[in-house]
Amino acid sequence: MVDHGTSGEGKRLPRMAASLMMHFASEREPTFGVHRASLSAPCAPAEGCSSITPDLLPRAPTENSTTSRPGTPVTPTLEPPALMQDEDIDQLDCLTLRSLASTSEGDSTLLGQGDTAEGSPKRGTRTGVRFTDWHKNRVAALCSERFDKLLRECPEYHSTKSCLAAFILEREVTDTGGQRCEHYEVVALGTGQSCCSGWLCFTGSVVHDCHGIVIARRALKRYLYKQLLLFYSCEPELSKRSIFQSTPTEKLLQVKPQIYLHLYTSQTPKGAAQCILMRFQSSGYASLKLQCHAKGSLIPAALLPPSVWGARICCMSDSAKLTRWTVTGVQGALLSHFIKPLYITSAILGDISHHAENVSNIINKRLGTDLKDLLPPPYQQTNIFFQNGENVGPAVSSDHCRDLSVNWCLGDSSIEILDSTTGYAISCSPFVSGPGFTSRLCKRAQYFSFRKVAMLSGEQDLLSFVTYRKAKMAAHLYQNAKTVVNQQFMANNAGPWNSKNLGELSFEQDCLVEGGRLGPMTSGTEYREVRQYRTDHHLVRFYFFTRVFSRYMESILADFKHELKPDVVIVNSCLWDVSR
């Protein structure tokens, strides 16, 4: 992380950061901003290197095709893992430098010069409450303006603005008069107020959680992949446009100095942040229960039976995710292979029904303050500065927009509209990836983005991860930080963090006997899983199958004849299995 607060000759604390730090003087180190990232410097471009990079998400390779790039090592063809192949794999949305260099209506350049700092307070007035009021009003206005411009092409979906979330980059720039000023730019946005409630899908093609903050964060990750594409461009002018820079002593890329990340949300984050707590109850923040969206309801994660979270789509609440992002950053596991953690500086709440101070306490204080010595560098515990701001959208969505989710990031030619009940794009979305309506924000798209950046950066070892999960778990520092957060939640009696690890090797001291992770992972009817829990006096065995009677079931019954005969046999979901 860049220590923006360190005093030194010729250095100054950015004015936005200075005004916000006064609220956290006793709670954090003198730093306030997006944590920069770091990576080894890109390889020198070879002669004749093309000015436009290949598509970030490549076409499906033909039998004899190979993928190579002038100026970078020749790498294996980017073949999708078998689990992620389907009819539209070659029609996935492709990110290119062409999309970054070109502009859509309302955009001026990649650096967002259209959103100028004109009308901002004079240099001497950029501190205190007056400036923070200007900041929150500016953020809300820019988010509203950007959304309205994007929805000009399809005004019938404008009411999705009721659940808008967006990420804004603040940069310190020098104006034509030589004065330093803050430049704000909306780089990613999302809308939505629900998530899928069906069965888990392990193909990576379904967007499970379509709440506004989660969708905006996925769009932000898409934007970060675009910025990595810029950084690894063979053209110096394009590379300079990236928000990232390298350092001689570290492998990971870091965000350039004086760049800060802000969040706007028109609704209070779902979950614990919606609790009304009095100030004298501050000792209870840590024990607030983790909540999870499951089967259309928001319930405490501790009350969710394993039979539900092991097979149904269950998504942790926005509040829980924001708390975890204060430690892990918003970049996620895959991007952690390239960049340092990226933290949110401030959040503007458009929902005035919940006081920003209460929301801030819940998000920032749930984990306590004892994580510093447990976290692996460069991860650390940070605070998000919350403010109440203007609600720029309607109070509620119209009936036909209630289950829809909009996403966009800077450089995208148009918005994409998802059906939150299915996790796929709707047929009349302005942007559609292909005939399968797979979203450009799904895990499969992220995985191909990851592999493309790995190829361009020359990180051969990253190309060896043949699945999204393997690449995710290989981000060891990120996974360690995430584990620290999950263990702290458990230590605080907040409950377990629900994971989508179907078929894990062990759960609650049981063990996986066959199937699951030991066999092919699939969401089809051929999935099998056998688990058992053993003590000195008991043996409990669990079989998961998708047909109540089949040859597989006959083999299980045959085993009962030759092995220990069970005292009790319990069959669940019989009618559902018969109807399959």
Side-chain angles (χ1 to χ4, degrees), residues 48-60:
C49 181
S50 73
S51 60
I52 301 297
T53 63
D55 290 342
L56 181 55
L57 301 179
R59 299 282 182 180

Side-chain angles (χ1 to χ4, degrees), residues 10-15 117 120-123 126 171-175 177-183 258:
K11 296 183 179 180
R12 61 181 287 277
L13 185 68
R15 290 177 287 272
S120 61
K122 299 299 182 182
R123 181 175 182 177
R126 289 174 180 265
R171 312 174 193 226
E172 184 174 307
V173 297
T174 303
D175 61 20
Q179 292 291 320
R180 292 182 178 180
C181 58
E182 277 69 33
H183 168 75
Q258 284 78 49

